[in-house]
Amino acid sequence: MKTESRGRDRLPEEKPPVPIAKRARWFAINVLVPVSDISQVGRYTGHNVARLWQRIRTVTSCRAVDDYRPANWSQAVADTGLSASTLCRHYRFSLWIWWGLMWLTALSAIGLLLMLVTAGGSVSPTGWLRIGSVLLVMGLLSATGFVHALGVNYRLWQLEAQRVSASEQGGFQAFLRETRWFRRVLTAGLRR
C-alpha cells in the first residue's frame, strides 16, 4: 500500500520545451520536403500523361501527322529503298523471332501449368500467387509475340499479293478476309 501512495504523491514531470529551431526542422523535413517531391513527381507525370494522351489521340484517329499512303505497291516498295526480296527476307526473319517468342513462352506456360496441376495440394497459397504471376507474364509475352507475328504476316501478305493501297484492296481487313490468318500466325506462314 505504501508504494501506491508514493506514486500518487508525485507530481507529473514537466517536459522540457521543444526549441523553435527543432520544430522548424521537423516541419521542413516532414512537410515541405515531401510536398516538393510530390510536386516534382506531378510535373513529370503530367508531362508524360500529356504525351501519352497525344499518342492515343493520334492512334485512335487512324491518321498520323505524317500519314503515308502510297498510290500502289511498286511505289511503296520503291519508297523503302529496298528490293521486294530483301523486304521479304527481313520480314521473315522478324516473323521467326516473334513466332519463337510466342511458342517458347506459351509452351513453357503450359508446362508450368501442368506441373502445377500435378502438384495440386502441396502448393501453398503464396506459391499459387507467385506461379499465377509468372503464368500471367508468360501469357502476356506469348500474346505480344502473337500480335507482332500477325503484323509481320500481314506485311508479308502485302508483299506476296502486291497490294498495299485501299484501291488495291491491300488493307488489314482484306488480309483478315482473304487468309486463314490464325493458322498462318500459328504456323509461321508454313501452312496457309
Side-chain angles (χ1 to χ4, degrees):
M1 286 290 195
K2 290 183 180 182
T3 57
E4 288 180 19
S5 64
R6 284 186 196 167
R8 285 188 209 157
D9 294 340
R10 280 189 195 169
L11 294 174
E13 295 179 18
E14 292 184 28
K15 294 181 182 177
V18 179
I20 293 177
K22 192 171 184 179
R23 285 185 184 176
R25 186 176 58 212
W26 180 90
F27 184 78
I29 290 174
N30 291 308
V31 176
L32 296 180
V33 171
V35 168
S36 169
D37 290 345
I38 289 171
S39 67
Q40 287 177 352
V41 168
R43 281 194 302 271
Y44 177 77
T45 304
H47 176 69
N48 284 337
V49 167
R51 283 184 29 216
L52 178 63
W53 181 251
Q54 183 59 39
R55 285 182 15 216
I56 289 172
R57 288 181 58 201
T58 301
V59 168
T60 56
S61 70
C62 297
R63 292 193 63 112
V65 176
D66 301 333
D67 195 13
Y68 173 73
R69 294 187 186 253
N72 56 27
W73 179 83
S74 56
Q75 178 192 359
V77 171
D79 288 346
T80 63
L82 300 171
S83 67
S85 61
T86 305
L87 281 173
C88 189
R89 188 173 54 244
H90 288 305
Y91 280 130
R92 289 203 187 282
F93 181 73
S94 180
L95 175 65
W96 283 106
I97 289 173
W98 291 114
W99 185 81
L101 174 72
M102 176 186 69
W103 279 111
L104 180 69
T105 55
L107 292 175
S108 298
I110 291 170
L112 184 61
L113 189 60
L114 288 174
M115 287 189 301
L116 183 65
V117 168
T118 57
S122 64
V123 178
S124 68
T126 57
W128 282 98
L129 183 63
R130 289 177 182 166
I131 293 171
S133 300
V134 169
L135 287 174
L136 177 68
V137 169
M138 291 173 85
L140 290 173
L141 283 172
S142 182
T144 301
F146 180 85
V147 169
H148 281 284
L150 176 64
V152 173
N153 269 304
Y154 166 58
R155 294 299 180 197
L156 283 169
W157 172 80
Q158 284 183 321
L159 281 171
E160 293 164 1
Q162 296 186 355
R163 301 185 292 182
V164 294
S165 66
S167 62
E168 297 172 324
Q169 295 296 316
F172 189 68
Q173 294 299 324
F175 166 71
L176 295 178
R177 257 192 330 270
E178 295 177 17
T179 62
R180 295 180 177 170
W181 59 272
F182 192 74
R183 178 190 289 181
R184 189 173 173 141
V185 170
L186 292 182
T187 62
L190 298 175
R191 292 188 69 199
R192 298 177 184 169

